[in-house]
Amino acid sequence: MLDIRGIAKRFGRLRALDDVSFAVRPGEVFGFVGSNGAGKTTTMRIVLGVLAADAGEVRWQGGPVDADVRRRIGYMPEERGLYPKMKVGEQLRYLARLHGMPAAAADTAVEQWTERLGISARVGEEVQKLSLGNQQRVQLCAALSHEPQVLVLDEPFSGLDPTAVEVMSSVLRDKAAEGVPVIFSSHQLELVERLCDRIGIISAGRMVAVGTVEELRSRDDAVVLDVDGPPAGWADALTGVEVVTSSGTATQVRLVAPFDDQVVLAAALAAGPVHEFRRRRQPLTELYRHVVSDAPAAAEVAS
């Protein structure tokens, strides 16, 4: 298990990370989401040892993340870390060898992954001559070729066409099925919702929500009602709910406290004939906006 425990980081007066804690379990795909500047990349760089945390720690399988552990991590930075004038195959073999793979094993792994990711025909070309999408595939090959025990990927789907997104998604699910913990950041929330087992939302350097999609949705359940001819403001008097929308006969209320939805139904029936009554779970895009809007702003600290 990859365990991030209470890490903090500041740059000058800006507190970039504040007591960030979460874990990525074996065989789990964990989506790490947040706006630009929220702290995703800083967190990942601390996991890799590129940055040092001011407080807290990162642990892998119960022990500290040292140089030996880092060689077993597959890392894909948001900004491509490839040598632009180096040929694809040569570069991938070189990077695999840096992670400690024997030459023959590195050759086999590069052949396997370039074939799987659809760039086997490009191994003799310089990286700078590839499209941005193919460069992204090369970057993922670099993260996978040394048979990593954990994957940390920063915006791996950026710049990919729909076909490449499906290939990448399949690869990540397959690695998770092998027991590899996978964490990736993305702004594509529909993709995160579809692909991930659990999700962590970070805002202004603080983790504001962690859980499965269903667990996060259950924090903010809504009830949709269609009542024929109700008196104006009938739902405003209900305790424990918040009226989200009210237009004509359609009313949507959010349960803001532990509250029996049957009480809401009884009040609706008292207001008029009920033609629709259902629980509505928000899509991740709406949930994200709601959670982030309630989060505090980034803090400045004394120098």
Side-chain angles (χ1 to χ4, degrees):
M1 182 168 69
L2 181 66
D3 195 5
I4 290 88
R5 300 182 179 180
I7 61 173
K9 182 68 178 178
R10 52 175 287 196
F11 298 100
R13 294 179 57 83
L14 177 67
R15 184 181 289 120
L17 297 177
D18 184 8
D19 194 27
V20 170
S21 298
F22 61 93
V24 187
R25 303 160 184 162
E28 177 176 70
V29 179
F30 186 93
F32 195 30
V33 301
S35 59
N36 291 331
K40 303 185 299 298
T41 295
T42 299
T43 301
M44 291 183 167
R45 288 176 176 172
I46 289 173
V47 170
L48 269 292
V50 177
L51 291 175
D54 297 333
E57 62 178 344
V58 180
R59 299 183 72 80
W60 165 244
Q61 294 183 339
V65 176
D66 56 17
D68 182 61
V69 171
R70 292 188 189 105
R71 279 194 292 269
R72 289 177 272 152
I73 297 176
Y75 176 49
M76 183 175 176
E78 181 179 10
E79 297 180 0
R80 292 178 179 86
L82 302 170
Y83 299 106
K85 295 184 178 181
M86 200 171 181
K87 293 180 180 179
V88 170
E90 179 184 355
Q91 180 161 186
L92 291 174
R93 285 189 289 272
Y94 169 71
L95 294 173
R97 295 296 305 278
L98 283 182
H99 282 276
M101 292 190 79
D107 290 344
T108 300
V110 169
E111 181 179 353
Q112 170 195 344
W113 284 112
T114 53
E115 180 70 29
R116 174 74 186 274
L117 292 171
I119 53 172
S120 58
R122 308 290 187 181
V123 293
E125 298 181 23
E126 294 179 359
V127 169
Q128 65 183 356
K129 296 181 180 179
L130 302 182
S131 67
L132 293 179
N134 279 336
Q135 289 183 30
Q136 193 79 333
R137 296 185 195 215
V138 174
Q139 188 100 323
L140 182 60
C141 280
L144 290 165
S145 294
H146 61 284
E147 300 177 358
Q149 295 180 9
V150 58
L151 280 173
V152 179
L153 312 174
D154 198 354
E155 295 289 345
F157 295 95
S158 177
L160 297 183
D161 59 48
T163 300
V165 167
E166 289 306 312
V167 172
M168 180 92 70
S169 299
S170 174
V171 167
L172 299 190
R173 291 304 313 176
D174 286 351
K175 296 306 292 184
E178 295 172 8
V180 174
V182 177
I183 174 173
F184 75 90
S185 65
S186 179
H187 293 292
Q188 301 177 46
L189 297 184
E190 291 182 0
L191 175 64
V192 171
E193 184 172 5
R194 173 168 58 87
L195 184 58
C196 294
D197 301 301
R198 287 193 309 133
I199 295 167
I201 301 176
I202 188 170
S203 178
R206 301 178 179 91
M207 294 300 292
V208 294
V210 178
T212 67
V213 173
E214 287 305 310
E215 287 170 347
L216 297 182
R217 282 173 169 171
S218 67
R219 293 162 42 129
D220 201 26
D221 279 358
V223 174
V224 178
L225 306 108
D226 187 350
V227 185
D228 189 12
W234 71 271
D236 295 332
L238 295 175
T239 303
V241 303
E242 171 191 343
V243 178
V244 179
T245 60
S246 182
S247 176
T249 63
T251 301
Q252 185 177 141
V253 298
R254 178 179 294 120
L255 308 184
V256 297
F259 194 70
D260 187 351
D261 58 10
Q262 297 305 302
V263 175
V264 178
L265 176 59
L269 288 168
V274 176
H275 299 295
E276 182 180 17
F277 178 83
R278 60 183 173 86
R279 297 290 284 268
R280 176 183 179 273
R281 295 291 178 89
Q282 294 186 83
L284 183 59
T285 50
E286 290 184 25
L287 175 65
Y288 171 80
R289 284 194 296 268
H290 182 67
V291 169
V292 170
S293 66
D294 288 344
E300 288 193 348
V301 294
S303 301

